[in-house]
Amino acid sequence: MVYSGDPILAEELLFKPEHSLIDQSLHSRMGATTTNGDGFGIGWYDDDEGLEPGVYKSVAPAWNDANLREVSRHLRTRLMFAHIRASTGTAVQRSNCHPFRHGRWLWMHNGVIKGFHEIKRELIMTVDPSLYPDIEGSTDSETLFFLALTFGLEDDPVRAVSQAVGEVERVAGRHGVVNPVQMTVATSDGRSVWAFRYSSEGRSRTLFFSTKVARLLELHPEVEVLHHLGEETRFVVSEPLRDLSGAWNEVPESSCGVVGPGLAELRPFRPEPVPAAG
Amino acid sequence: MVYSGDPILAEELLFKPEHSLIDQSLHSRMGATTTNGDGFGIGWYDDDEGLEPGVYKSVAPAWNDANLREVSRHLRTRLMFAHIRASTGTAVQRSNCHPFRHGRWLWMHNGVIKGFHEIKRELIMTVDPSLYPDIEGSTDSETLFFLALTFGLEDDPVRAVSQAVGEVERVAGRHGVVNPVQMTVATSDGRSVWAFRYSSEGRSRTLFFSTKVARLLELHPEVEVLHHLGEETRFVVSEPLRDLSGAWNEVPESSCGVVGPGLAELRPFRPEPVPAAG
Amino acid sequence: MVYSGDPILAEELLFKPEHSLIDQSLHSRMGATTTNGDGFGIGWYDDDEGLEPGVYKSVAPAWNDANLREVSRHLRTRLMFAHIRASTGTAVQRSNCHPFRHGRWLWMHNGVIKGFHEIKRELIMTVDPSLYPDIEGSTDSETLFFLALTFGLEDDPVRAVSQAVGEVERVAGRHGVVNPVQMTVATSDGRSVWAFRYSSEGRSRTLFFSTKVARLLELHPEVEVLHHLGEETRFVVSEPLRDLSGAWNEVPESSCGVVGPGLAELRPFRPEPVPAAG
Amino acid sequence: MVYSGDPILAEELLFKPEHSLIDQSLHSRMGATTTNGDGFGIGWYDDDEGLEPGVYKSVAPAWNDANLREVSRHLRTRLMFAHIRASTGTAVQRSNCHPFRHGRWLWMHNGVIKGFHEIKRELIMTVDPSLYPDIEGSTDSETLFFLALTFGLEDDPVRAVSQAVGEVERVAGRHGVVNPVQMTVATSDGRSVWAFRYSSEGRSRTLFFSTKVARLLELHPEVEVLHHLGEETRFVVSEPLRDLSGAWNEVPESSCGVVGPGLAELRPFRPEPVPAAG
């Protein structure tokens, strides 16, 4: 889940909505696995633009984490990432939990790189040597992040992700792995949020973004909480937080969206093969 | 789950059967909650009769626990308890995981004492003062265990549990709590295993015991694994380990069963109010 | 450690001072044990007076806790408690870590109640029945807190602690335990901070409070950081945070101090036996 | 610590000796850091030669680990590794705890590879691609293990370690890192144990091996426990387990020892540069 908008208490986002992310741990209706209990993490931005986003993550299931509840009552933020992990094979340890961070960038990924065990070495060697020492864990998700950073995520996120995915598909192809990529990705620099939905096979996990608050108020003037949400409030979620008709819009397959100050776009996305010498 | 029979590797019991206890964590079909991720524990007896049973328990979900997998490959035992916890309110900490141990006795409980928060103090004061310092956690399950110990579990288990349950119902009644007890309980001294199924309301969690191996071989001569199980093999489980017709027999409501050397009985169970001066 | 003063980032208190509390974990020079690695906890008050203080505590040694570092960069507070635990026998679990909280009150204790195993039941029964269900752990420290609450900590802290200690000494005496109490205690309601140093034997852990900032500036105009500390800055610590002559004043044995808005007192402290019917 | 000899309960090795490894966590007198609280691990071999050694490791400090105590009472082994970790920079997570395992090989390392952050990528690329996917963590210790495996640890351990160390020194040199290697290493295939003591600078951590039991009995016939140790008992330790004159022999700098069935040797060790094309 990503929230962007007026400053809000993390507790409101994690524990209050009808189908909050914490509850999602237990009943993940649309997720690929029945439970998501291999870790939880949040990343949040302060108003201080010189400060890295904070990251709290843990292998403890979200519903058990007393410290998470405590801390969320005292963290106010205008942009927050939250993720529940269901391991696709790599170790359950804090360094393998999302969101991943690099400088002011946060990254979350739902999905998997098939055949990762076979192609990991080659992908890792493609990561820029100056970035390599910052890799902390062993997941496909973090590797994808560092490929995107290598291809210029900080300058042109859409292009960088496009090239990263293209690279994965190329390397997988050389190892005989078919349809390697399954992903929904969310990433941010603290100002804008980019969300991607793409799979080599065309069957990704679900991804939704929220309707503008002004429009929702027209549709549902009777819903109390809408009157308290700021105009710029946006959610990007794997599963709808609350059953409300017209509130959630599915991000189509092979698309990416970007939300930022005065900006909200949805456009096609496809991998871009990287020139051979890369 | 309780296993009793020839010495067997813990790994066989925890990770091998078609619907092993570990898998049960995720898909607990008949359990009250969708997942059982608040802790896992095993207790096992050695051949050394002077030795307390070992207890390995952890708040980490069973499927995540690498050390559990490692250890289970090297533990051979003829009597083992295994439990997955879904907290009914008390803290998630090792001291609140089952099985509980006292001397050579192990104890597991599925269910809840309703209104425990209100009646806990009175129940705790009923525990024998010499036993009180041994209470490590804060659960209703452990409290029930110590009440049973107070009422002579080590001498007459059925009577002790009967009195413990009766005491809980009596105290709950005085506090206006209706139908306080919901339980399936398994307890052992390393030689015999007692299993109880009882609820004040008559709607307990499920409980099954396995058919004798000799009989199962008559029913299913084609099933390979049956030829390797010792004659005295017995399982007591919350949910069947394997779909095999005739293999699992439900313990009726308000019953208790005992399995021991040359002994296998099922009889009615009901709480026994404790004389007023107790 | 207790900090009281202008709002400050938790990170400044935990990780910056020359001999910060985190470093204290490793080298506790004046502590009773060589390391203090059985848990860490902080409690902090927000400006919102209707809000309970937040509590982050963990069994992970402080120096390992990445989430603690992260969170401390984003928590700003004017009153914070921080504690490193060295277990004196009870289980290492989050519910046994300090600070303990009840409503707006926080409590930390360094020391031990000797013979606690023997006298615990009697002490627990003295705790007010309405408070009993709020006891989460199994430590002597938390028990002492709840005795103080029972004797009116929220109305007259000094008297309540005095009676609580008196009660412990009385009960211990009846069980043949000599010199039961060894304590330094810090407690607060979010406005004032009370610190106690007392032992039945007269040999307590160390306890220091800081000199007023104005005075320190006179003594050490060259020390940069002093110019940034607010006038009302006060520290209460087990060990000095920084070697600076004149900065730390020892709280004498059998004393208690209180610091609050416009108030700073140090006076004798002694246990008060509770009338027999209590 | 490494134990080799008659089958013995892990509990005897971990918790019984006067200065057991568990106590070493707290008071590590000769260690480089004041405490060793970043993790603990044991690896042990069964009599079953087709079985991998078991590995129990955890980030919890050894003295806190109730499951470790429990399990150690029930594990009987003739060859056991035990390690206490003090992190030299990489994350505190189970996958970074020792011992590391590959097939039937176990590996422990005390020390550090200086400048590891800078040279890691190049070292990792030298690891054989078929071995690379088995790397679980991010430590210098595990990397050194996999370099040794790459250079044929399973065929000629001394030569493989010699080449691995030579490779590290070579790569470090190219990056301007001086005196990169500081190590004591223990490794085994379940039959023999190899111990290495070497530093580029010649100042390694301490390493001792025990005198043969027969000789110790001559020296100290009055020491009870010696009469119970099997003839083939051997210890390799960082710090002596027990103060007993003549019991401990220091492994000199730049040496390696091997103990096996009917074999006990000590010889010089030095790195062997790897031919350029490797």
Side-chain angles (χ1 to χ4, degrees), chain A residues 76-154:
Chain A
R76 195 167 288 275
T77 177
R78 47 175 191 73
L79 204 164
M80 192 177 97
F81 276 40
H83 185 270
I84 299 167
R85 184 177 188 227
S87 169
T88 53
T90 48
V92 173
Q93 55 198 19
R94 187 184 183 276
S95 55
N96 281 350
C97 293
H98 313 216
F100 299 99
R101 173 184 61 200
H102 194 267
R104 275 187 64 80
W105 287 81
L106 290 178
W107 174 278
M108 301 192 301
H109 166 229
N110 267 357
V112 64
I113 294 179
K114 294 213 197 81
F116 183 62
H117 196 75
E118 283 68 53
I119 67 174
K120 177 180 180 182
R121 186 174 182 274
E122 206 174 321
L123 295 179
I124 289 288
M125 288 204 310
T126 305
V127 170
D128 191 285
S130 68
L131 289 169
Y132 173 80
D134 294 342
I135 299 175
E136 294 184 358
S138 50
T139 61
D140 47 359
S141 303
E142 190 187 22
T143 302
L144 193 60
F145 179 35
F146 274 80
L147 283 173
L149 284 166
T150 298
F151 292 122
L153 180 72
E154 288 162 315

Side-chain angles (χ1 to χ4, degrees), chain A residues 8-11 13 19 28 30 48 50-51 55 60 64 75 91 105 107 127 129 165 172 178 183 192 206 251 256 265:
Chain A
I8 194 171
L9 265 192
E11 184 187 31
L13 296 169
H19 186 72
S28 182
M30 294 178 195
D48 183 340
L51 200 62
V55 171
N64 275 349
L75 284 179
W105 287 81
W107 174 278
V127 170
V165 174
V178 176
M183 78 180 208
S192 307
T206 56
V251 174
C256 80
E265 272 186 28

Side-chain angles (χ1 to χ4, degrees), chain C residues 83 88 98 107-114 140-141 143-145 147-148 153 157-169 179-187 194-207 238 251-257 268-272:
Chain C
H83 184 270
T88 53
H98 314 214
W107 175 278
M108 302 192 301
H109 166 231
N110 267 356
V112 64
I113 293 179
K114 293 212 197 83
D140 47 0
S141 302
T143 302
L144 192 60
F145 179 34
L147 283 174
L153 180 71
V158 179
R159 183 145 194 243
V161 175
S162 172
Q163 290 189 349
V165 174
E167 176 70 8
V168 172
E169 288 187 332
N179 289 328
V181 176
Q182 191 206 35
M183 77 180 208
T184 58
V185 160
T187 187
W194 291 263
F196 300 80
R197 188 179 185 213
Y198 171 81
S199 292
S200 314
E201 195 177 7
R203 285 173 29 178
S204 314
R205 305 282 177 85
T206 56
L207 191 66
S238 306
V251 174
E253 283 283 354
S254 303
S255 301
C256 80
F269 169 87
R270 69 172 192 280
E272 180 187 324

Side-chain angles (χ1 to χ4, degrees), chain D residues 14-89:
Chain D
L14 297 176
F15 296 101
K16 293 296 171 68
E18 191 186 87
H19 188 72
S20 81
L21 203 68
I22 303 294
D23 185 49
Q24 209 173 89
S25 295
L26 286 177
H27 303 290
S28 182
R29 291 172 291 183
M30 295 179 195
T33 63
T34 36
T35 62
N36 289 357
D38 295 327
F40 189 88
I42 58 175
W44 69 92
Y45 290 86
D46 260 2
D47 287 334
D48 182 344
E49 292 224 11
L51 199 63
E52 278 187 3
V55 170
Y56 175 106
K57 48 194 194 184
S58 166
V59 296
W63 60 86
N64 275 350
D65 197 332
N67 287 334
L68 177 66
R69 284 182 182 264
E70 291 286 331
V71 157
S72 73
R73 277 190 209 118
H74 298 266
L75 284 179
R76 195 166 289 275
T77 177
R78 45 173 193 74
L79 205 164
M80 192 177 97
F81 276 40
H83 184 270
I84 299 167
R85 184 177 186 227
S87 169
T88 53

